Amino acid sequence: IDPQFRPTPVTHININSLIGIVHQTTTTVTTTLTQLPSYGVLDNRRSLIFYNNDSSNIVYIGGSTVTSLNGLPIDAKSFSPSFDSGPLQKWYGVTASGTADVRTIELSDESSGR
């Protein structure tokens, strides 16, 4: 029997473009767990991306238990991947030492209750 490729079934399709707002923030991340972005969450958020604006420190991102040992590293002067992340999902960051300036861009969907 020849092996066959079976793609993963699609579970979500959005053919509409996002027509909400773009919200940018700056957060200082330290060795203590820091919420990203620090103000909270954009209403109707659909996606976000992080940029480590620091010149030398690595920022580690993840959930509420993120550490420098288990987080996704964002090197200095580098972007994270873009994440599909709704308003109920909380993100956090830490550094192994020192502080880092993390920029966040959040994109919202239209406020239609979807």
Side-chain angles (χ1 to χ4, degrees):
I1 298 176
D2 292 331
Q4 293 182 335
F5 173 71
R6 290 194 173 85
T8 305
V10 176
T11 58
H12 177 77
I13 296 175
N14 186 3
I15 60 173
N16 300 316
S17 61
L18 301 179
I19 60 173
I21 65 168
V22 175
H23 189 243
Q24 66 281 345
T25 56
T26 299
T27 303
T28 300
V29 176
T30 67
T31 57
T32 303
L33 192 67
T34 306
Q35 186 172 342
L36 293 172
S38 60
Y39 79 94
V41 177
L42 180 66
D43 288 342
N44 298 307
R45 181 176 72 194
R46 290 293 302 271
S47 65
L48 57 75
I49 190 168
F50 302 105
Y51 178 72
N52 180 359
N53 196 41
D54 195 77
S55 60
S56 60
N57 284 314
I58 297 171
V59 173
Y60 301 89
I61 61 170
S64 62
T65 59
V66 68
T67 68
S68 60
L69 299 175
N70 65 14
L72 177 70
I74 306 174
D75 289 328
K77 298 294 183 187
S78 296
F79 289 94
S80 72
S82 175
F83 296 103
D84 292 337
S85 182
L88 298 179
Q89 198 166 48
K90 307 280 196 245
W91 287 87
Y92 297 88
V94 295
T95 60
S97 65
T99 63
D101 171 28
V102 175
R103 309 292 171 95
T104 304
I105 296 281
E106 296 176 283
L107 304 171
S108 70
D109 197 0
E110 60 182 320
S111 56
S112 66
R114 292 192 292 155

